[in-house]
PDB file of all heavy atoms in Angstrom:
ATOM      1  N   GLU A 306      36.688 -10.579  76.621  1.00 97.00           N
ATOM      2  CA  GLU A 306      37.921  -9.831  76.627  1.00 97.00           C
ATOM      3  C   GLU A 306      37.675  -8.462  77.395  1.00 97.00           C
ATOM      4  O   GLU A 306      38.551  -8.052  78.194  1.00 97.00           O
ATOM      5  CB  GLU A 306      38.422  -9.540  75.237  1.00 97.00           C
ATOM      6  CG  GLU A 306      39.099 -10.738  74.648  1.00 97.00           C
ATOM      7  CD  GLU A 306      39.365 -10.609  73.084  1.00 97.00           C
ATOM      8  OE1 GLU A 306      38.821  -9.691  72.490  1.00 97.00           O
ATOM      9  OE2 GLU A 306      40.006 -11.439  72.546  1.00 97.00           O
ATOM     10  N   CYS A 307      36.606  -7.813  77.081  1.00 97.00           N
ATOM     11  CA  CYS A 307      36.315  -6.581  77.722  1.00 97.00           C
ATOM     12  C   CYS A 307      36.201  -6.817  79.287  1.00 97.00           C
ATOM     13  O   CYS A 307      36.719  -5.996  80.062  1.00 97.00           O
ATOM     14  CB  CYS A 307      35.051  -5.930  77.236  1.00 97.00           C
ATOM     15  SG  CYS A 307      35.129  -5.409  75.542  1.00 97.00           S
ATOM     16  N   LEU A 308      35.515  -7.811  79.621  1.00 97.00           N
ATOM     17  CA  LEU A 308      35.328  -8.120  81.074  1.00 97.00           C
ATOM     18  C   LEU A 308      36.682  -8.443  81.743  1.00 97.00           C
ATOM     19  O   LEU A 308      36.955  -8.011  82.826  1.00 97.00           O
ATOM     20  CB  LEU A 308      34.378  -9.299  81.309  1.00 97.00           C
ATOM     21  CG  LEU A 308      32.889  -8.935  81.181  1.00 97.00           C
ATOM     22  CD1 LEU A 308      32.048 -10.187  80.984  1.00 97.00           C
ATOM     23  CD2 LEU A 308      32.477  -8.141  82.427  1.00 97.00           C
ATOM     24  N   LYS A 309      37.533  -9.120  80.992  1.00 96.00           N
ATOM     25  CA  LYS A 309      38.875  -9.503  81.522  1.00 96.00           C
ATOM     26  C   LYS A 309      39.679  -8.171  81.796  1.00 96.00           C
ATOM     27  O   LYS A 309      40.221  -7.975  82.872  1.00 96.00           O
ATOM     28  CB  LYS A 309      39.625 -10.400  80.515  1.00 96.00           C
ATOM     29  CG  LYS A 309      41.013 -10.803  81.087  1.00 96.00           C
ATOM     30  CD  LYS A 309      41.603 -11.896  80.210  1.00 96.00           C
ATOM     31  CE  LYS A 309      43.063 -12.094  80.563  1.00 96.00           C
ATOM     32  NZ  LYS A 309      43.431 -12.180  81.938  1.00 96.00           N
ATOM     33  N   THR A 310      39.667  -7.309  80.777  1.00 96.00           N
ATOM     34  CA  THR A 310      40.383  -6.097  80.953  1.00 96.00           C
ATOM     35  C   THR A 310      39.865  -5.322  82.190  1.00 96.00           C
ATOM     36  O   THR A 310      40.636  -4.799  82.978  1.00 96.00           O
ATOM     37  CB  THR A 310      40.170  -5.187  79.672  1.00 96.00           C
ATOM     38  OG1 THR A 310      40.380  -5.919  78.538  1.00 96.00           O
ATOM     39  CG2 THR A 310      41.039  -3.916  79.663  1.00 96.00           C
ATOM     40  N   PHE A 311      38.539  -5.212  82.270  1.00 96.00           N
ATOM     41  CA  PHE A 311      38.005  -4.505  83.381  1.00 96.00           C
ATOM     42  C   PHE A 311      38.343  -5.155  84.751  1.00 96.00           C
ATOM     43  O   PHE A 311      38.727  -4.490  85.698  1.00 96.00           O
ATOM     44  CB  PHE A 311      36.429  -4.532  83.254  1.00 96.00           C
ATOM     45  CG  PHE A 311      35.729  -3.576  84.171  1.00 96.00           C
ATOM     46  CD1 PHE A 311      35.583  -2.237  83.866  1.00 96.00           C
ATOM     47  CD2 PHE A 311      35.323  -4.002  85.464  1.00 96.00           C
ATOM     48  CE1 PHE A 311      34.969  -1.386  84.725  1.00 96.00           C
ATOM     49  CE2 PHE A 311      34.651  -3.136  86.348  1.00 96.00           C
ATOM     50  CZ  PHE A 311      34.452  -1.826  85.984  1.00 96.00           C
ATOM     51  N   VAL A 312      38.265  -6.515  84.815  1.00 95.00           N
ATOM     52  CA  VAL A 312      38.595  -7.216  86.066  1.00 95.00           C
ATOM     53  C   VAL A 312      40.119  -6.987  86.402  1.00 95.00           C
ATOM     54  O   VAL A 312      40.460  -6.670  87.516  1.00 95.00           O
ATOM     55  CB  VAL A 312      38.211  -8.704  86.020  1.00 95.00           C
ATOM     56  CG1 VAL A 312      38.748  -9.408  87.180  1.00 95.00           C
ATOM     57  CG2 VAL A 312      36.676  -8.798  85.936  1.00 95.00           C
ATOM     58  N   ASP A 313      40.989  -7.156  85.437  1.00 93.00           N
ATOM     59  CA  ASP A 313      42.365  -6.925  85.607  1.00 93.00           C
ATOM     60  C   ASP A 313      42.682  -5.603  86.233  1.00 93.00           C
ATOM     61  O   ASP A 313      43.541  -5.396  87.105  1.00 93.00           O
ATOM     62  CB  ASP A 313      43.182  -7.176  84.298  1.00 93.00           C
ATOM     63  CG  ASP A 313      43.220  -8.644  83.957  1.00 93.00           C
ATOM     64  OD1 ASP A 313      42.805  -9.507  84.797  1.00 93.00           O
ATOM     65  OD2 ASP A 313      43.640  -8.957  82.846  1.00 93.00           O
ATOM     66  N   GLU A 314      42.016  -4.556  85.644  1.00 93.00           N
ATOM     67  CA  GLU A 314      42.251  -3.225  86.092  1.00 93.00           C
ATOM     68  C   GLU A 314      41.650  -2.896  87.500  1.00 93.00           C
ATOM     69  O   GLU A 314      42.291  -2.186  88.270  1.00 93.00           O
ATOM     70  CB  GLU A 314      41.618  -2.194  85.155  1.00 93.00           C
ATOM     71  CG  GLU A 314      42.488  -1.922  83.873  1.00 93.00           C
ATOM     72  CD  GLU A 314      41.733  -1.180  82.795  1.00 93.00           C
ATOM     73  OE1 GLU A 314      40.641  -0.638  83.112  1.00 93.00           O
ATOM     74  OE2 GLU A 314      42.264  -1.144  81.684  1.00 93.00           O
ATOM     75  N   ASN A 315      40.481  -3.459  87.748  1.00 92.00           N
ATOM     76  CA  ASN A 315      39.794  -3.045  88.960  1.00 92.00           C
ATOM     77  C   ASN A 315      39.894  -4.067  90.131  1.00 92.00           C
ATOM     78  O   ASN A 315      39.564  -3.716  91.257  1.00 92.00           O
ATOM     79  CB  ASN A 315      38.346  -2.835  88.662  1.00 92.00           C
ATOM     80  CG  ASN A 315      38.139  -1.627  87.753  1.00 92.00           C
ATOM     81  OD1 ASN A 315      38.194  -0.511  88.284  1.00 92.00           O
ATOM     82  ND2 ASN A 315      37.983  -1.848  86.449  1.00 92.00           N
ATOM     83  N   PHE A 316      40.285  -5.276  89.839  1.00 88.00           N
ATOM     84  CA  PHE A 316      40.446  -6.329  90.943  1.00 88.00           C
ATOM     85  C   PHE A 316      41.836  -6.914  90.842  1.00 88.00           C
ATOM     86  O   PHE A 316      41.916  -8.107  90.454  1.00 88.00           O
ATOM     87  CB  PHE A 316      39.339  -7.360  90.811  1.00 88.00           C
ATOM     88  CG  PHE A 316      37.912  -6.830  90.895  1.00 88.00           C
ATOM     89  CD1 PHE A 316      37.277  -6.337  89.791  1.00 88.00           C
ATOM     90  CD2 PHE A 316      37.252  -6.795  92.121  1.00 88.00           C
ATOM     91  CE1 PHE A 316      35.961  -5.890  89.892  1.00 88.00           C
ATOM     92  CE2 PHE A 316      35.928  -6.294  92.210  1.00 88.00           C
ATOM     93  CZ  PHE A 316      35.282  -5.827  91.074  1.00 88.00           C
ATOM     94  N   PRO A 317      42.878  -6.156  91.083  1.00 79.00           N
ATOM     95  CA  PRO A 317      44.190  -6.697  90.780  1.00 79.00           C
ATOM     96  C   PRO A 317      44.599  -7.798  91.684  1.00 79.00           C
ATOM     97  O   PRO A 317      45.399  -8.663  91.175  1.00 79.00           O
ATOM     98  CB  PRO A 317      45.132  -5.453  90.915  1.00 79.00           C
ATOM     99  CG  PRO A 317      44.294  -4.387  91.558  1.00 79.00           C
ATOM    100  CD  PRO A 317      42.916  -4.802  91.564  1.00 79.00           C
ATOM    101  N   SER A 318      44.154  -7.903  92.868  1.00 80.00           N
ATOM    102  CA  SER A 318      44.601  -9.003  93.724  1.00 80.00           C
ATOM    103  C   SER A 318      43.739 -10.223  93.480  1.00 80.00           C
ATOM    104  O   SER A 318      42.632 -10.147  92.928  1.00 80.00           O
ATOM    105  CB  SER A 318      44.523  -8.588  95.231  1.00 80.00           C
ATOM    106  OG  SER A 318      43.172  -8.190  95.457  1.00 80.00           O
ATOM    107  N   ASN A 319      44.232 -11.442  93.900  1.00 76.00           N
ATOM    108  CA  ASN A 319      43.545 -12.704  93.655  1.00 76.00           C
ATOM    109  C   ASN A 319      42.179 -12.649  94.377  1.00 76.00           C
ATOM    110  O   ASN A 319      42.063 -12.348  95.526  1.00 76.00           O
ATOM    111  CB  ASN A 319      44.383 -13.843  94.161  1.00 76.00           C
ATOM    112  CG  ASN A 319      45.264 -14.315  93.000  1.00 76.00           C
ATOM    113  OD1 ASN A 319      45.048 -13.972  91.864  1.00 76.00           O
ATOM    114  ND2 ASN A 319      46.236 -15.137  93.326  1.00 76.00           N
ATOM    115  N   LEU A 320      41.168 -13.174  93.689  1.00 80.00           N
ATOM    116  CA  LEU A 320      39.830 -13.154  94.267  1.00 80.00           C
ATOM    117  C   LEU A 320      39.568 -14.559  94.910  1.00 80.00           C
ATOM    118  O   LEU A 320      39.923 -15.544  94.259  1.00 80.00           O
ATOM    119  CB  LEU A 320      38.797 -12.857  93.176  1.00 80.00           C
ATOM    120  CG  LEU A 320      38.845 -11.434  92.609  1.00 80.00           C
ATOM    121  CD1 LEU A 320      38.196 -11.453  91.250  1.00 80.00           C
ATOM    122  CD2 LEU A 320      38.132 -10.495  93.561  1.00 80.00           C
ATOM    123  N   SER A 321      38.928 -14.544  96.028  1.00 83.00           N
ATOM    124  CA  SER A 321      38.632 -15.859  96.622  1.00 83.00           C
ATOM    125  C   SER A 321      37.340 -16.488  96.017  1.00 83.00           C
ATOM    126  O   SER A 321      37.242 -17.636  95.940  1.00 83.00           O
ATOM    127  CB  SER A 321      38.469 -15.767  98.150  1.00 83.00           C
ATOM    128  OG  SER A 321      37.498 -14.771  98.416  1.00 83.00           O
ATOM    129  N   GLU A 322      36.461 -15.589  95.531  1.00 90.00           N
ATOM    130  CA  GLU A 322      35.235 -16.123  94.965  1.00 90.00           C
ATOM    131  C   GLU A 322      35.037 -15.429  93.588  1.00 90.00           C
ATOM    132  O   GLU A 322      35.483 -14.315  93.392  1.00 90.00           O
ATOM    133  CB  GLU A 322      34.026 -15.618  95.781  1.00 90.00           C
ATOM    134  CG  GLU A 322      34.037 -16.055  97.229  1.00 90.00           C
ATOM    135  CD  GLU A 322      33.039 -17.073  97.455  1.00 90.00           C
ATOM    136  OE1 GLU A 322      31.995 -17.046  96.836  1.00 90.00           O
ATOM    137  OE2 GLU A 322      33.342 -18.084  98.267  1.00 90.00           O
ATOM    138  N   PRO A 323      34.286 -16.071  92.719  1.00 93.00           N
ATOM    139  CA  PRO A 323      34.079 -15.398  91.408  1.00 93.00           C
ATOM    140  C   PRO A 323      33.123 -14.215  91.651  1.00 93.00           C
ATOM    141  O   PRO A 323      32.298 -14.208  92.577  1.00 93.00           O
ATOM    142  CB  PRO A 323      33.360 -16.403  90.537  1.00 93.00           C
ATOM    143  CG  PRO A 323      33.175 -17.655  91.385  1.00 93.00           C
ATOM    144  CD  PRO A 323      33.882 -17.451  92.705  1.00 93.00           C
ATOM    145  N   ILE A 324      33.284 -13.147  90.800  1.00 94.00           N
ATOM    146  CA  ILE A 324      32.448 -11.932  90.986  1.00 94.00           C
ATOM    147  C   ILE A 324      31.136 -12.221  90.337  1.00 94.00           C
ATOM    148  O   ILE A 324      31.051 -12.644  89.156  1.00 94.00           O
ATOM    149  CB  ILE A 324      33.158 -10.693  90.342  1.00 94.00           C
ATOM    150  CG1 ILE A 324      34.561 -10.624  90.615  1.00 94.00           C
ATOM    151  CG2 ILE A 324      32.407  -9.448  90.712  1.00 94.00           C
ATOM    152  CD1 ILE A 324      35.355  -9.720  89.712  1.00 94.00           C
ATOM    153  N   PRO A 325      30.016 -11.957  91.041  1.00 95.00           N
ATOM    154  CA  PRO A 325      28.700 -12.165  90.380  1.00 95.00           C
ATOM    155  C   PRO A 325      28.385 -11.068  89.332  1.00 95.00           C
ATOM    156  O   PRO A 325      28.593  -9.949  89.496  1.00 95.00           O
ATOM    157  CB  PRO A 325      27.673 -12.032  91.571  1.00 95.00           C
ATOM    158  CG  PRO A 325      28.434 -11.390  92.639  1.00 95.00           C
ATOM    159  CD  PRO A 325      29.926 -11.480  92.370  1.00 95.00           C
ATOM    160  N   LEU A 326      27.892 -11.555  88.212  1.00 97.00           N
ATOM    161  CA  LEU A 326      27.593 -10.635  87.042  1.00 97.00           C
ATOM    162  C   LEU A 326      26.103 -10.677  86.694  1.00 97.00           C
ATOM    163  O   LEU A 326      25.518 -11.740  86.537  1.00 97.00           O
ATOM    164  CB  LEU A 326      28.408 -11.057  85.843  1.00 97.00           C
ATOM    165  CG  LEU A 326      28.165 -10.339  84.543  1.00 97.00           C
ATOM    166  CD1 LEU A 326      29.038  -9.073  84.471  1.00 97.00           C
ATOM    167  CD2 LEU A 326      28.383 -11.220  83.331  1.00 97.00           C
ATOM    168  N   GLY A 327      25.617  -9.437  86.457  1.00 96.00           N
ATOM    169  CA  GLY A 327      24.285  -9.323  85.878  1.00 96.00           C
ATOM    170  C   GLY A 327      24.516  -9.022  84.422  1.00 96.00           C
ATOM    171  O   GLY A 327      25.189  -8.009  84.049  1.00 96.00           O
ATOM    172  N   PHE A 328      24.014  -9.836  83.528  1.00 97.00           N
ATOM    173  CA  PHE A 328      24.256  -9.737  82.141  1.00 97.00           C
ATOM    174  C   PHE A 328      23.014  -9.095  81.461  1.00 97.00           C
ATOM    175  O   PHE A 328      21.958  -9.701  81.359  1.00 97.00           O
ATOM    176  CB  PHE A 328      24.489 -11.151  81.563  1.00 97.00           C
ATOM    177  CG  PHE A 328      24.628 -11.327  80.070  1.00 97.00           C
ATOM    178  CD1 PHE A 328      24.830 -10.200  79.302  1.00 97.00           C
ATOM    179  CD2 PHE A 328      24.704 -12.543  79.528  1.00 97.00           C
ATOM    180  CE1 PHE A 328      24.989 -10.341  77.874  1.00 97.00           C
ATOM    181  CE2 PHE A 328      24.863 -12.742  78.140  1.00 97.00           C
ATOM    182  CZ  PHE A 328      25.028 -11.639  77.355  1.00 97.00           C
ATOM    183  N   THR A 329      23.179  -7.802  81.083  1.00 96.00           N
ATOM    184  CA  THR A 329      22.062  -7.146  80.406  1.00 96.00           C
ATOM    185  C   THR A 329      22.080  -7.396  78.950  1.00 96.00           C
ATOM    186  O   THR A 329      23.036  -7.108  78.244  1.00 96.00           O
ATOM    187  CB  THR A 329      22.126  -5.533  80.669  1.00 96.00           C
ATOM    188  OG1 THR A 329      22.131  -5.404  82.062  1.00 96.00           O
ATOM    189  CG2 THR A 329      20.942  -4.861  80.086  1.00 96.00           C
ATOM    190  N   PHE A 330      21.015  -8.057  78.459  1.00 95.00           N
ATOM    191  CA  PHE A 330      21.006  -8.477  77.116  1.00 95.00           C
ATOM    192  C   PHE A 330      19.641  -7.941  76.537  1.00 95.00           C
ATOM    193  O   PHE A 330      18.563  -8.391  76.837  1.00 95.00           O
ATOM    194  CB  PHE A 330      21.036 -10.058  77.065  1.00 95.00           C
ATOM    195  CG  PHE A 330      21.117 -10.608  75.622  1.00 95.00           C
ATOM    196  CD1 PHE A 330      22.269 -10.466  74.933  1.00 95.00           C
ATOM    197  CD2 PHE A 330      20.048 -11.286  75.126  1.00 95.00           C
ATOM    198  CE1 PHE A 330      22.341 -10.992  73.657  1.00 95.00           C
ATOM    199  CE2 PHE A 330      20.113 -11.840  73.798  1.00 95.00           C
ATOM    200  CZ  PHE A 330      21.279 -11.672  73.082  1.00 95.00           C
ATOM    201  N   SER A 331      19.754  -6.879  75.723  1.00 94.00           N
ATOM    202  CA  SER A 331      18.538  -6.073  75.354  1.00 94.00           C
ATOM    203  C   SER A 331      17.883  -6.551  74.117  1.00 94.00           C
ATOM    204  O   SER A 331      17.714  -5.794  73.170  1.00 94.00           O
ATOM    205  CB  SER A 331      18.935  -4.666  75.283  1.00 94.00           C
ATOM    206  OG  SER A 331      19.602  -4.295  76.500  1.00 94.00           O
ATOM    207  N   TYR A 332      17.579  -7.854  74.111  1.00 95.00           N
ATOM    208  CA  TYR A 332      16.936  -8.503  72.950  1.00 95.00           C
ATOM    209  C   TYR A 332      15.894  -9.439  73.470  1.00 95.00           C
ATOM    210  O   TYR A 332      15.992  -9.873  74.629  1.00 95.00           O
ATOM    211  CB  TYR A 332      17.994  -9.188  72.050  1.00 95.00           C
ATOM    212  CG  TYR A 332      19.043  -8.209  71.642  1.00 95.00           C
ATOM    213  CD1 TYR A 332      20.185  -8.027  72.474  1.00 95.00           C
ATOM    214  CD2 TYR A 332      18.902  -7.466  70.553  1.00 95.00           C
ATOM    215  CE1 TYR A 332      21.130  -7.063  72.153  1.00 95.00           C
ATOM    216  CE2 TYR A 332      19.868  -6.464  70.251  1.00 95.00           C
ATOM    217  CZ  TYR A 332      20.968  -6.312  71.043  1.00 95.00           C
ATOM    218  OH  TYR A 332      21.876  -5.322  70.722  1.00 95.00           O
ATOM    219  N   PRO A 333      14.857  -9.841  72.662  1.00 97.00           N
ATOM    220  CA  PRO A 333      13.908 -10.748  73.229  1.00 97.00           C
ATOM    221  C   PRO A 333      14.429 -12.109  73.496  1.00 97.00           C
ATOM    222  O   PRO A 333      14.909 -12.805  72.595  1.00 97.00           O
ATOM    223  CB  PRO A 333      12.850 -10.803  72.097  1.00 97.00           C
ATOM    224  CG  PRO A 333      13.366 -10.026  71.002  1.00 97.00           C
ATOM    225  CD  PRO A 333      14.670  -9.460  71.254  1.00 97.00           C
ATOM    226  N   ALA A 334      14.516 -12.451  74.784  1.00 97.00           N
ATOM    227  CA  ALA A 334      15.156 -13.706  75.172  1.00 97.00           C
ATOM    228  C   ALA A 334      14.169 -14.459  76.130  1.00 97.00           C
ATOM    229  O   ALA A 334      13.841 -13.878  77.141  1.00 97.00           O
ATOM    230  CB  ALA A 334      16.517 -13.505  75.833  1.00 97.00           C
ATOM    231  N   SER A 335      13.820 -15.671  75.805  1.00 97.00           N
ATOM    232  CA  SER A 335      12.891 -16.365  76.684  1.00 97.00           C
ATOM    233  C   SER A 335      13.628 -16.895  77.905  1.00 97.00           C
ATOM    234  O   SER A 335      14.810 -17.292  77.810  1.00 97.00           O
ATOM    235  CB  SER A 335      12.338 -17.619  75.980  1.00 97.00           C
ATOM    236  OG  SER A 335      11.885 -17.305  74.690  1.00 97.00           O
ATOM    237  N   GLN A 336      12.925 -16.868  79.059  1.00 97.00           N
ATOM    238  CA  GLN A 336      13.595 -17.242  80.281  1.00 97.00           C
ATOM    239  C   GLN A 336      12.602 -18.214  81.079  1.00 97.00           C
ATOM    240  O   GLN A 336      11.500 -17.880  81.352  1.00 97.00           O
ATOM    241  CB  GLN A 336      13.856 -16.057  81.152  1.00 97.00           C
ATOM    242  CG  GLN A 336      14.767 -15.093  80.524  1.00 97.00           C
ATOM    243  CD  GLN A 336      15.283 -14.013  81.503  1.00 97.00           C
ATOM    244  OE1 GLN A 336      14.607 -13.019  81.639  1.00 97.00           O
ATOM    245  NE2 GLN A 336      16.395 -14.195  82.136  1.00 97.00           N
TER     246      GLN A 336
END
Side-chain angles (χ1 to χ4, degrees):
E306 280 168 353
C307 294
L308 279 166
K309 183 171 167 43
T310 310
F311 191 87
V312 170
D313 288 349
E314 277 168 13
N315 293 282
F316 299 86
S318 54
N319 270 346
L320 293 158
S321 54
E322 302 256 321
I324 316 166
L326 174 88
F328 177 10
T329 302
F330 188 68
S331 308
Y332 304 89
S335 313
Q336 297 189 276

